[in-house]
Amino acid sequence: MKINHTFRYILLIAFSLSLNSCKDFLDVQPQSSVSDDQTIVDEASAKTATRGMYRQLASDSYYGSLFQSIGYLSGDNIVWTGSQSIIQDFINHDVKSDNGNIATVWSGIYETINRANHIIAKVPLVTDDSFTEAERNALLGEAYFVRGLCYFDLARTWGGVQIVLTPTVSATDKNGIKRSSLADTYAQVLADLTKAETLLTNTTNRYRATQKTARALLARYYLYQENWAQAEAYADKVIGDTDYELVKPYSAFFSNQAVATKESVFELAYSSTYTNGHRTYWQPPANGGTRQWAPNTTFISLVSDENVGGNRSALIAKTTAGLWYGNMYYRSPATDPAFVIRIAELYLIRSEARAHQDKLADALDDLNAIRDRAGLSDSPAQTQEEILLAIENERRLEFAFEPHRWFDLVRTHRVEAVLGVTNTNKYVLPIPITEVTVDESLEQNTGY
C-alpha cells in the first residue's frame, strides 16, 4: 500500500528523533544555501549556492557524521555502547529498511546532489558581465566534483541508484526514475569527475574542489574498478605534488587544533555555529560527549601495540574511570574537520595498484612510507599476497575512524573471510522504506 508524501516525512522525522543526539539530522537547510529557480541570478548568488552545496556535503546526514559512521561501524574496529539497536544493526550487518540512519543519509546525499544540479543547470545561464568564464567554470567544476562524490558514495553503499541530473523542487520529483545498474551509476561518477577535472583549475585548496581534488577521487574510483594502471597514474599525480605530504607524527593532521595541513587533499570545515556531529558520538560524558560508539578491544590491542599501531595510538584515549574512546574528534566547540581525502590514502591506493601489477618493490615503497610515518619499521611482506594483506591491515588502522574499512572489505571480496558475513545481499544496504513505499518504480535491494 502507498503512503502519501506527508506521512513519508513523518516517518523520517520519527526515525531520526529516535537517535540519541542533540542535533536535528533533518535540518539540512544551511543559512548560506539557495535552491529555488529565482536565486542563482548573478555571480554572487552562484557563489552563495556553491557554499550551500558544501554545507550540505558537511551536514550531519552526510560527511558530518552519519554517512561516515556507516563505513566504520560496519567494519571490525567499533563497539556500540548505547541502548538502541539502530547502530548495533550496522555492527551486526542486519540493517533493516526502516533504519532511521539510512533514511537520513539517503536523503542527505540526494539533497547534496540536488544542490549540485541547481548549480550545473543555472550557472551557465547567468548573464553577469563581472562573472568571468574562469570563475564560472570553477563553480561548475566544483558542482560536478561534488555530484560525482555523491554518486560514488551511493553506489558503494546501495549499489545502482536513481540517477538524477536536473534540479528538483520536492523529494518526490525523482519518483518514477528507475534504478540504474551499478555499472551505469559508476559510469556517471566517472563522467562527473572527468568533467570536473577539465573545468577546475590546477590549484591547491583543501576545503574546495580543484583539479587536484578531482584527480585524487579519480584514483579512488579506479581502485574500486580494479583498473590498477589508472589508479596508480592518478594517485601518482597527487603524490607528486609538493603541496601534499605525510605529516609526522600520525596525529599531526588532527591533533593540537590542526586544520588544513599538507596531509589533507580535501576536508570539510566547521565552526562554532556549525559544528561537526562526530565529536558528540566519540567523546565520553566526562568530556561532554555521549560515547555512543567506541573502539573495541581488538582495535585497542592492535593500535596500542607499538609494533603494529606505532604512533597511531593517538587515535584512542582513556578516561580516569577506564573508558576507552576515539579521540580524532575532540574539539570544544566541535569544529573538527571531516577528512574526505588524505594523502595517506593516495599512497595506499598506489601501493595496492602497484602490487596488483606485480610492481612489488614499488608497492612496498609506498606501504613503508605509511609505516614510517606511523613510527614503524619496513613491512616484512614479500609476495604479492603478503603485500596486499599488509596494505589491508594498514588501511584498517590508518583510516579506523574514517569511512573506509567496510567498503574496503567489500571491494576486495574479503567480507566473509574477515567478518564472517556470508550473505552477499548484506554487502549493500536496503533502500529506505520511506523511499520504496512512495515510489513504486524504486526496486528494493535483493534480500530486504
Side-chain angles (χ1 to χ4, degrees), residues 20 114 366 389 443:
N20 289 329
N114 195 39
D366 285 336
L389 181 59
E443 184 180 352

Side-chain angles (χ1 to χ4, degrees), residues 288-338:
T290 59
R291 192 179 171 266
Q292 294 185 55
W293 45 72
N296 62 28
T297 54
T298 300
F299 178 75
I300 292 169
S301 177
L302 287 171
V303 81
S304 300
D305 186 336
E306 63 180 14
N307 296 314
V308 178
N311 55 41
R312 287 177 295 211
S313 58
L315 281 170
I316 59 174
K318 186 165 61 172
T319 68
T320 55
L323 289 177
W324 286 100
Y325 59 95
N327 204 34
M328 176 179 278
Y329 305 97
Y330 59 87
R331 303 168 209 222
S332 183
T335 58
D336 310 271

Side-chain angles (χ1 to χ4, degrees), residues 15 127 200 254 270 298 317 350:
F15 290 147
T127 56
L200 292 165
F254 68 88
Y270 297 83
T298 300
R350 192 171 69 174

